[in-house]
Amino acid sequence: MSRTLKLAAVIGAITSLPMAPSVAAAENLKVVASFSIIADFAKNVGGDRVDIVTLVGPNGDAHVYEPKPADAATVGSADVVLVNGLQFEGFLQRLVEASATKAPIVELSKGGEVLRNSEEEGHHDQEKAAEGGGGHAAAEEGHEEGHHHHGEYDPHAWQSVHNAELYVKNIADAFCAADAAGCDTYRANAESYGQQLDALEAEIKAAVAEIPEDKRTIITSHDAFGYFEHEYGIKFLAPEGVSTESEASASDVAALIKQIRQDKASAIFVENVTNPRLIEQIASETGLKVGGELYSDALSDKDGSAATYLEMMRHNITTIKGAILGS
Amino acid sequence: MRTNSATAIALLVSLSTSAARAEEVTAWRLFISDHADPKVTVIDAIDGEKLDTFEIKGPASLHRSESGRTVFAVQGTAGVVTGIASGISFEDHGEHGDIDVEAPKLAGIEITGKKPSHFVEHNGDFAAFFDGEGVARIIDEKSVLEGKPDFREVKTDAPQHGVAVAYGSHVLLSEPNREKPDELPVGIRVADKTGAPIGGIHACPDLHGEASSGDILAFACATGLLVVSHGDGSPAVRHLPYADSLPEGKTTTLIGGRGLQYFLGNYGVDKVVLIDPTIESDAFRLISLPTRRVHFAVDPVRAKFAYVFTEDGQLHQLDVVKGEIANSLKLTDPYSMDGHWSDPRPRVAVAGDRIVVTDPLQGVLHLVDATSFEKTGDIAVEGKPFNVVSVGGSGQTHEGE
């Protein structure tokens, strides 16, 4: 059984268990979030009723995170575990197995509009995630086509605010199942936060509209902004693939530089979760000036400019717009 | 054309309309050195059949590569490290992995020199340190498997019981004790690929023992660990001191966790210590054993467990999440730790769902089911089976490709 299929089986087994019994009213819900963006969503939904532990913290890279025995102990004693899914957390299966947790493992991307990995298809096709996890269906499809797949779906679904709203709904559902007494609070918090997300999306669309269409191609470190591209019309090129785990090859970089020149890219950016060296090299070879730092897979620390999801998305579009328009 | 071991388990898992058929194949092999005779015996871990015996030049300690494609027999008394191709390899295809199973064979590579000692792999580069010369000979796995002797040498200032780690475009080299050359090294130096030092010495008194877990490399010192991680352009080295709460002692043998990032080390004769090098406080968890420790190993499949064999003949299952012994199982007659340190005593390896324990004085391998932690059988091996490593796993083959 492949690792992906195993993961689907593990998660399926756990989520099919009866939900953890509702916690006593006086006791906060113990929530584990796999990375900082999910933790921020959970905080907005859970408020004071939840205690959240974040496995991959601010500026951390979940693609390459190595879980510790202490993480397994934390997951083992959790009431709810919130993860992205779509193979974003490569460490998830071994962590869940080591923890022997009975908590539901909730994949927040489930039910969302999920894009195929651009490495696989050469373009972004909009797909509904398969029920029960895209990984399983993807593996079977891969065999039928007679070639191999390297992650069927782009996991960075939160870069679409629409999907963020789904994440929030899924969190509220999970919290209600684990803590029925707090359900009205969770629903109300999710509703209120959802309104902020709606306003955020309007801001992003308005900002993009001010960027001339022929200047909407930019460069980032890794291929993390496919959803942003799909939703808002900024084209992103990246030397590294969907995961930061493997480094870009020299031929990949050469091809990218050629494409940058062809597409007349407007700006280039570093990311908070990747080494800036490669981007700086590409910038020097193409004459593009590094336009700032974008936040893709992790928030900044609390003193940074992207300490929450709302701040992260505002920071990213403001930085992109500013670099392209020179303001 | 892929050649499958006759004893591999083949299970048809899918049929497509095309000519290609995918089969799920599981294969595990044990490589066992003898305590007295210069040989390595290869046994199919699934059916217990002997696959081959390789004659080498001296009794050997064994190391398997991270990929499992190669096994190295370090023959200290014979002055040679022999490379063996395990015959099992994997190719990662993201959604699944392909397995290729062939006959094991001598790779045709020997690394020779005075007194080979520590043998360390990092990211597919192997560094064999030769104590008598204070020299490390480095070669990559591709060269070994192709039988090409593409070594490079990195020299330290003096003969020592040292260690070298090829770390990307750098090398980490032990620094000899200049005043007392017969004693253990006193630190680590970062050097460029040719061995030219970069910066000063990172102090590590009584350096002995090194391991990797995930993207962290650690060296054991009398004062704690040197923890090495990727820095900005060159390796970042920091010292993690032993906690004041620990009793007198030190770690001299380290192994790195698989699946979970931690280190397991010896500490005193009847304790082990679990180490999380990413935290400053409570980084060390000491676990007392019922008697003196003989050998220990981590479980690469079930990340939650490691195993410790003690001189009373018991194998202990160590829960590394809880930091306690979860189960114990009597397997052999007592093996006293009195006597010479290298006397024939049991060693532990994990092959898939089986834990394998050598019993050199009885000439057998004991097999323990890793899930139930119950003994399931023995495999007889001629001579005194001593060091053991396993390679293998499961993957797909695609008939018709």
Side-chain angles (χ1 to χ4, degrees):
Chain A
M1 185 183 280
S2 75
R3 167 163 271 185
T4 306
L5 296 183
K6 270 195 200 166
L7 176 57
V10 167
I11 291 173
I14 291 170
T15 51
S16 67
L17 288 171
M19 285 292 188
S22 293
V23 294
E27 198 176 308
N28 272 10
L29 205 59
K30 288 183 282 184
V31 177
V32 173
S34 60
F35 67 108
S36 55
I37 293 169
I38 285 178
D40 183 53
F41 291 149
K43 188 179 173 188
N44 278 283
V45 175
D48 295 337
R49 294 187 67 92
V50 299
D51 295 329
I52 302 168
V53 175
T54 311
L55 297 178
V56 185
N59 298 313
D61 186 354
H63 290 294
V64 295
Y65 183 73
E66 294 289 344
K68 319 292 186 292
D71 295 334
T74 301
V75 169
S77 62
D79 296 316
V80 179
V81 180
L82 303 176
V83 304
N84 183 74
L86 300 175
Q87 301 180 52
F88 180 65
E89 299 95 343
F91 58 85
L92 187 61
Q93 179 193 350
R94 46 202 160 107
L95 178 61
V96 168
E97 285 179 350
S99 73
T101 187
K102 292 184 168 53
I105 312 294
V106 183
E107 285 191 55
L108 300 182
S109 62
K110 201 167 184 179
E113 291 186 339
V114 179
L115 300 177
R116 285 191 183 278
N117 180 356
S118 59
E119 284 177 344
E120 298 302 305
E121 302 299 325
H123 63 277
H124 290 133
D125 287 336
Q126 188 171 312
E127 291 284 334
K128 286 280 184 189
E131 279 298 316
H136 197 149
E140 290 178 350
E141 188 180 328
H143 294 305
E144 286 170 5
E145 291 173 356
H147 62 84
H148 305 301
H149 288 253
H150 299 266
E152 184 78 358
Y153 297 105
D154 181 342
H156 306 87
W158 61 87
Q159 288 289 345
S160 148
V161 180
H162 276 314
N163 280 333
E165 289 174 355
L166 177 85
Y167 280 37
V168 169
K169 178 186 175 299
N170 285 341
I171 291 170
D173 290 346
F175 286 179
C176 282
D179 174 23
C183 189
D184 289 347
T185 303
Y186 301 136
R187 299 271 183 230
N189 289 346
E191 174 72 22
S192 170
Y193 186 62
Q195 290 169 5
Q196 296 182 64
L197 291 173
D198 286 341
L200 170 70
E201 177 149 63
E203 285 177 45
I204 294 171
K205 286 180 174 173
V208 172
E210 292 178 31
I211 302 171
E213 285 190 23
D214 63 350
K215 289 186 177 297
R216 293 182 187 173
T217 296
I218 62 174
I219 318 301
T220 55
S221 306
H222 90 293
D223 207 354
F225 294 95
Y227 291 86
F228 197 100
E229 175 175 335
H230 182 267
E231 290 290 322
Y232 310 117
I234 301 278
K235 183 177 179 183
F236 290 78
L237 304 175
E240 293 176 37
V242 165
S243 171
T244 58
E245 195 166 12
S246 52
E247 294 177 3
S249 70
S251 60
D252 288 342
V253 174
L256 178 67
I257 289 172
K258 190 176 173 187
Q259 193 179 352
I260 289 168
R261 289 177 175 141
Q262 279 176 353
D263 291 5
K264 295 187 173 56
S266 297
I268 187 165
F269 301 91
V270 295
E271 287 174 38
N272 66 326
V273 297
T274 60
N275 190 322
R277 193 158 296 194
L278 183 57
I279 284 295
E280 287 162 357
Q281 179 203 333
I282 293 169
S284 72
E285 290 191 32
T286 57
L288 287 169
K289 186 181 169 191
V290 176
E293 184 176 48
L294 300 184
Y295 292 83
S296 50
D297 299 359
L299 301 177
S300 69
D301 59 33
K302 62 183 172 53
D303 299 324
S305 55
T308 67
Y309 177 77
L310 296 172
E311 289 176 12
M312 176 184 88
M313 297 300 278
R314 285 195 178 104
H315 167 90
N316 284 351
I317 189 58
T318 303
T319 303
I320 291 167
K321 184 181 155 192
I324 294 175
L325 300 182
S327 57
Chain B
M1 178 70 185
R2 301 179 194 284
T3 307
N4 293 335
S5 159
T7 53
I9 296 171
L11 173 67
L12 193 65
V13 294
S14 73
L15 276 171
S16 73
T17 53
S18 70
R21 294 193 309 174
E23 286 181 299
E24 185 91 1
V25 171
T26 297
W28 283 94
R29 286 174 180 168
L30 300 170
F31 291 74
I32 303 133
S33 64
D34 193 88
H35 189 268
D37 294 333
K39 65 179 182 181
V40 175
T41 303
V42 189
I43 289 177
D44 187 311
I46 292 173
D47 67 4
E49 292 297 314
K50 186 168 85 173
L51 296 175
D52 211 335
T53 299
F54 299 115
E55 291 186 8
I56 51 176
K57 297 193 169 62
S61 62
L62 300 175
H63 299 262
R64 55 151 286 177
S65 67
E66 289 172 13
S67 74
R69 298 185 71 185
T70 45
V71 172
F72 292 89
V74 180
Q75 301 145 73
T77 56
V80 63
V81 179
T82 302
I84 301 169
S86 74
I88 296 179
S89 60
F90 296 90
E91 190 174 346
D92 181 17
H93 291 292
E95 295 292 341
H96 71 273
D98 286 353
I99 187 171
D100 196 0
V101 184
E102 298 174 334
K105 62 181 182 183
L106 290 172
I109 288 291
E110 289 190 338
I111 315 172
T112 57
K114 289 182 185 173
K115 294 174 71 174
S117 59
H118 286 206
F119 185 88
V120 181
E121 177 185 9
H122 190 75
N123 281 349
D125 284 327
F126 308 109
F129 196 89
F130 289 84
D131 286 3
E133 303 156 76
V135 167
R137 296 188 173 91
I138 298 169
I139 191 169
D140 62 41
E141 184 160 48
K142 185 167 178 284
S143 297
V144 172
L145 290 168
E146 290 176 352
K148 293 180 181 171
D150 291 338
F151 305 112
R152 61 187 171 97
E153 279 193 357
V154 179
K155 296 181 179 176
T156 62
D157 289 347
Q160 55 174 308
H161 183 44
V163 64
V165 182
Y167 198 89
S169 57
H170 296 83
V171 186
L172 302 168
L173 294 170
S174 57
E175 179 70 12
N177 185 330
R178 293 167 193 277
E179 293 172 4
K180 299 176 181 174
D182 294 338
E183 296 194 357
L184 291 171
V186 296
I188 284 289
R189 223 183 233 291
V190 178
D192 68 17
K193 218 162 187 171
T194 66
I198 299 169
I201 297 166
H202 300 274
C204 182
D206 290 357
L207 187 158
H208 194 276
E210 75 294 312
S212 294
S213 181
D215 55 357
I216 292 179
L217 170 68
F219 296 93
C221 324
T223 52
L225 298 190
L226 281 189
V227 179
V228 184
S229 54
H230 297 293
D232 188 14
S234 64
V237 185
R238 69 182 177 89
H239 183 251
L240 177 66
Y242 291 130
D244 293 340
S245 57
L246 289 177
E248 192 69 23
K250 64 177 181 178
T251 292
T252 57
T253 301
L254 272 180
I255 47 179
R258 296 284 178 268
L260 294 176
Q261 189 170 57
Y262 70 95
F263 292 91
L264 177 62
N266 60 336
Y267 200 91
V269 296
D270 60 355
K271 297 177 184 64
V272 290
V273 64
L274 289 164
I275 307 163
D276 179 349
T278 63
I279 57 176
E280 292 296 334
S281 61
D282 301 326
F284 298 90
R285 286 189 291 172
L286 198 62
I287 296 153
S288 294
L289 306 169
T291 61
R292 288 180 291 186
R293 177 199 63 258
V294 175
H295 191 240
F296 53 101
V298 301
D299 192 325
V301 179
R302 289 149 292 272
K304 184 179 183 177
F305 295 119
Y307 306 101
V308 185
F309 193 85
T310 48
E311 63 178 348
D312 56 0
Q314 287 197 93
L315 181 70
H316 306 279
Q317 183 192 52
L318 185 63
D319 183 327
V320 303
V321 176
K322 292 181 178 172
E324 62 187 30
I325 292 172
N327 284 295
S328 298
L329 178 65
K330 175 81 170 166
L331 280 180
T332 72
D333 292 336
Y335 274 89
S336 172
M337 289 300 288
D338 290 339
H340 196 276
W341 65 270
S342 64
D343 283 347
R345 300 185 185 94
R347 297 288 182 265
V348 183
V350 180
D353 293 332
R354 285 176 168 175
I355 308 161
V356 181
V357 178
T358 62
D359 191 346
L361 298 184
Q362 299 301 319
V364 297
L365 310 178
H366 300 292
L367 304 177
V368 176
D369 184 279
T371 305
S372 65
F373 206 67
E374 292 174 356
K375 183 174 173 179
T376 55
D378 292 325
I379 299 173
V381 179
E382 288 177 5
K384 290 182 177 174
F386 184 40
N387 257 267
V388 59
V389 295
S390 73
V391 299
S394 299
Q396 291 186 4
T397 63
H398 300 281
E399 196 178 307
E401 273 189 355

